[in-house]
Amino acid sequence: MTDITASLRGIVGARHVRTGDDIPARSRADAAEIPPCPPRAVVLPADTGEVAEVLRLCHALGQPVVVQGGMTGLAGGAQPRPGEIALSLERLDGVEDVDVVGRTMLVRAGTPLSTVQAAAAEAGLFYGVDLGARGSCTIGGNVATNAGGIQVLRYGMTRRNVLGLEAVLADGTVVTGLNTLPKNNTGYDWTQLMIGSEGTLGVVTRVSLALQLQPAPPQAALCACASVDHAYAVLDAIDRRFPGRLMAFEAMWREYMDVTLRMATQRRPFAETPEITVLVEVALGEGDAAQAAFSDALGELAEAGSIGDALIAQSLRDRQDFWAYREANYEFHRFMPKATHFDISVAPGRMAAAIDMLRSRLEAARPGTILVAFGHLADCNLHLAVYPPDEHQEAEIAGIVYGIVGDLRGSISAEHGIGVLKRRYLGLSRSPAELDLMRLLKRALDPADILNRERVLPP
Amino acid sequence: MTDITASLRGIVGARHVRTGDDIPARSRADAAEIPPCPPRAVVLPADTGEVAEVLRLCHALGQPVVVQGGMTGLAGGAQPRPGEIALSLERLDGVEDVDVVGRTMLVRAGTPLSTVQAAAAEAGLFYGVDLGARGSCTIGGNVATNAGGIQVLRYGMTRRNVLGLEAVLADGTVVTGLNTLPKNNTGYDWTQLMIGSEGTLGVVTRVSLALQLQPAPPQAALCACASVDHAYAVLDAIDRRFPGRLMAFEAMWREYMDVTLRMATQRRPFAETPEITVLVEVALGEGDAAQAAFSDALGELAEAGSIGDALIAQSLRDRQDFWAYREANYEFHRFMPKATHFDISVAPGRMAAAIDMLRSRLEAARPGTILVAFGHLADCNLHLAVYPPDEHQEAEIAGIVYGIVGDLRGSISAEHGIGVLKRRYLGLSRSPAELDLMRLLKRALDPADILNRERVLPP
């Protein structure tokens, strides 16, 4: 034990290896609400070369390593397991280059998403990925988990926004493929395999990102919809009427709004809480003409019966208030007991059935259970928080929820990833041959199994 | 030899194994203009199960296999090498399912692209990939090569349009991952590794595609631009003015138009051939208001000096005439000697320099050389046909072109892939560590090296 920490200090400098009480709380737990676990040591390399040296050492010793970014993950993937070295990318931060003409950015893995967004804006451009954890999550973590968020319907997940990567393999090999070209069919695109592999196949150290033109400022509205199918009718109509302009389409089911409205800061948007409250944003620009076009579209949807009522934002303040409903879930833990959380996806044609089955089976199993559902409806991605009336029954609840997801051929993880929390359910969304192929790729790239061991792949 | 063909007949039926003179011309050569080579036999499986049995047999015997789709590839990847069995997917065709609500399609690998496009249109939807070979190329080949084409600027390459795959590995293992969900972060996305691997890592048998809303009918124009930078100014202005509506932005350099205008069917669009003739299409819809908006935009660009002259299509016939210029290159071989072809990409800021360097170095090496350049300017992707004045000097020409591409950190293959023709140049666009990683992946997935042997990876 003394040996390896001494060697690590030799690589990154004594100040950048933390042990014992010097290990910060953030290195002991991510956002998955698993009891904290201190790593054997936290090592903070300054650059790709130091990451490579650290991994070469750990590989030689068979020392397991957990890779840490912004620690905002919800699947427990970045949380240490006993005996692991935590490799934190937080010193490897900063934007290295912005190419305004080529609309690309080269950025180090430990850079927070909000810094990337700000650097793009400063160059008069726009980065297509946005999510609630933007101030803390890092671009390396976004790549490792193929992060989604609130603009996937417009710009895709992180995968679509990555042009190239530099990564360090488990044995310390540095692989640099920092492509900046929009088209580059030269051999296998190994970077695609790294994206979404949750740090189990390599450690992302630098990222080449595609940037976009800045979208026009959005028109925003809250819409009251009587059912999932009504909400999808609204989505379809807006998408057809304003092609390429839809920026967000977030749904909050009745129970979600009920919990939100218990919190003192939130006013009631509609006299009666509808089955689904939709927050829609369309990049139509500001001014009377844009608002009139948006208002006309919503008016027609109201006449057609797809919308019961709608509030159009008249100011930035209104828009912020709308988003405060959608982001209220970050505060639910202060008002509610601990919930069991899910991040699922089902086909749009099965979404209404999914909600019905979830409500009825959870109620049947535990009368009084509250199913809080919200999420990215355009992407068929629901976040669920399940509050049972008595003590926690996580395994039972997970069994019910994942059983329904499996029956409806949905995904047990739309965007949060697998980490440690969902490993045993992976077979519900992937075939046995797919799992075997994943294991084969893991063995090929990390034969000593040191990178994020016992994560993602089923036991 | 008798043994393996007998075994193959046992798997797919005697009629579906062709040998000797029964081997059709299309199985002997693809579109890369390499002298034809008959395979040992052509085997035509009817379904995934038969593909698996064929590969299991070949894997056991160490028998190399070349995978064949529509035979429209330009890099020689699907053309047999001596002693290979050709595995043709042409019987594995047909659309299996279209989900109108979920906007997805399940299709067999041997289905022509045009059939996919038509099936999407029949469902009131749209498939985002289009290319000149649409009537012959197959969706499996599109996936294997990550095909690009004329709408990449709007819908991305094939990669972005694929949601899931079924593939057969070299040893006959069937891996089914026919995801239809827009978001599905459940373990490694192995399908991404297959896309663009040119049949060297597995044989794609079925594909799950994302479909789009049908775009509005396009407004089309031919624009005369005095330089690359003028053309990029037009691109930027149109993209900002009509966000999400740009459908095509094809550039034809002066020499391209000169060759085109030698052909009797083509009329001269501009009195004087400009440095670049741009074909631009914007999905603004039909009618006077749409044409006025388009005309206003082009008028402003003319006033600003970005456009010297412009012709706006007044009819479908006009639009077809505009595309006839862009597709005239398919007929060049009838009027010109054999050329050496390239499919390169350089950053937009280096595009003007690339053309200057290409012209001057080719002229210096072989006075009288004609550099025909055209392509997808919005994607930074140029197709080049180089006509030397004397006999062919392919190696010398390739050395000059790829030398410039390497110096400018461009790509030696933007969309056509590597196949056999570009293997030895792959190191110009990929780092040594990347090539090693590609080899490692190839060994892991095809340890007997039977699939498309001696393709893609450098010797």
Side-chain angles (χ1 to χ4, degrees), chain B residues 4 22 81 139 175 283 415:
Chain B
I4 193 166
D22 284 343
R81 297 170 74 87
I139 201 74
V175 189
E415 59 178 15

Side-chain angles (χ1 to χ4, degrees), chain A residues 190-275:
Chain A
W190 62 272
T191 69
Q192 296 293 333
L193 188 60
M194 291 288 160
I195 298 169
S197 67
E198 303 186 33
T200 61
L201 299 180
V203 178
V204 172
T205 48
R206 291 193 295 168
V207 186
S208 170
L209 295 171
L211 303 178
Q212 312 292 330
L213 288 179
Q214 282 180 333
Q219 291 288 327
L222 279 186
C223 303
C225 294
S227 74
V228 173
D229 292 336
H230 286 81
Y232 273 121
V234 174
L235 174 66
D236 193 67
I238 297 278
D239 202 9
R240 287 176 194 273
R241 186 154 178 155
F242 306 115
R245 303 294 186 114
L246 195 61
M247 294 292 287
F249 198 86
E250 298 288 308
M252 297 164 276
W253 267 260
R254 194 177 62 237
E255 301 89 334
Y256 176 98
M257 289 303 288
D258 288 344
V259 175
T260 298
L261 295 171
R262 284 191 217 168
M263 304 198 292
T265 51
Q266 307 285 346
R267 287 174 305 170
R268 179 175 292 277
F270 301 114
E272 200 167 331
T273 299
E275 169 69 1

Side-chain angles (χ1 to χ4, degrees), chain A residues 33 41 52 94 154 188 254 269 294 325 335 376 407 436 438 454:
Chain A
E33 301 185 5
R154 179 68 187 87
Y188 309 160
R254 194 177 62 237
F294 190 50
Y325 295 113
F335 297 83
H376 319 297
D407 288 348
D436 285 346
M438 291 180 202
E454 295 180 15

Side-chain angles (χ1 to χ4, degrees), chain A residues 160 243, chain B residues 126-130 147-148 150-162 210-216 244-248 283 379:
Chain A
R160 194 195 293 176
Chain B
F126 185 79
Y127 178 59
V129 177
D130 191 26
I150 54 181
Q151 291 167 180
V152 172
L153 76 179
R154 178 66 187 87
Y155 299 104
M157 303 191 56
T158 297
R159 184 183 302 286
R160 195 197 286 176
N161 297 277
V162 172
L211 303 178
Q212 312 291 329
L213 287 180
Q214 281 179 333
R245 302 294 186 113
L246 195 62
M247 293 292 288
D379 311 324

Side-chain angles (χ1 to χ4, degrees), chain A residues 186-190, chain B residues 201 426 430-444 456-458:
Chain A
T186 48
Y188 309 160
D189 192 346
W190 62 272
Chain B
L201 299 180
L426 190 57
R430 294 291 182 187
S431 64
E434 288 186 284
L435 298 180
D436 285 345
L437 178 51
M438 290 179 203
R439 289 188 190 100
L440 184 152
L441 292 166
K442 172 70 172 172
R443 280 196 302 275
V456 184
L457 300 176

Side-chain angles (χ1 to χ4, degrees), chain A residues 183-184 186 188 411 415 430, chain B residues 183-184 200 411 415 430:
Chain A
K183 293 166 82 172
N184 192 355
T186 48
Y188 309 160
S411 169
E415 60 178 14
R430 293 290 183 189
Chain B
K183 294 166 81 173
N184 191 356
T200 62
S411 169
E415 59 178 15
R430 294 291 182 187

Side-chain angles (χ1 to χ4, degrees), chain A residues 103 145-146 160 174 176 182-186 188 190 200 236 239 379 381 411 413-415 430-431 433-434, chain B residues 103 145-146 160 174 176 182-186 188 190 200 236 239 379 381 411 413-415 430-431 433-434:
Chain A
R103 298 184 194 160
T145 59
N146 187 28
R160 194 195 293 176
V174 178
T176 304
K183 293 166 82 172
N184 192 355
N185 272 347
T186 48
Y188 309 160
W190 62 272
T200 61
D236 193 67
D239 202 9
D379 312 323
N381 177 192
S411 169
S413 177
E415 60 178 14
R430 293 290 183 189
S431 64
E434 288 187 284
Chain B
R103 297 184 195 161
T145 58
N146 187 28
R160 195 197 286 176
V174 178
T176 304
K183 294 166 81 173
N184 191 356
N185 272 347
T186 48
Y188 309 159
W190 62 271
T200 62
D236 193 69
D239 202 10
D379 311 324
N381 177 190
S411 169
S413 177
E415 59 178 15
R430 294 291 182 187
S431 64
E434 288 186 284

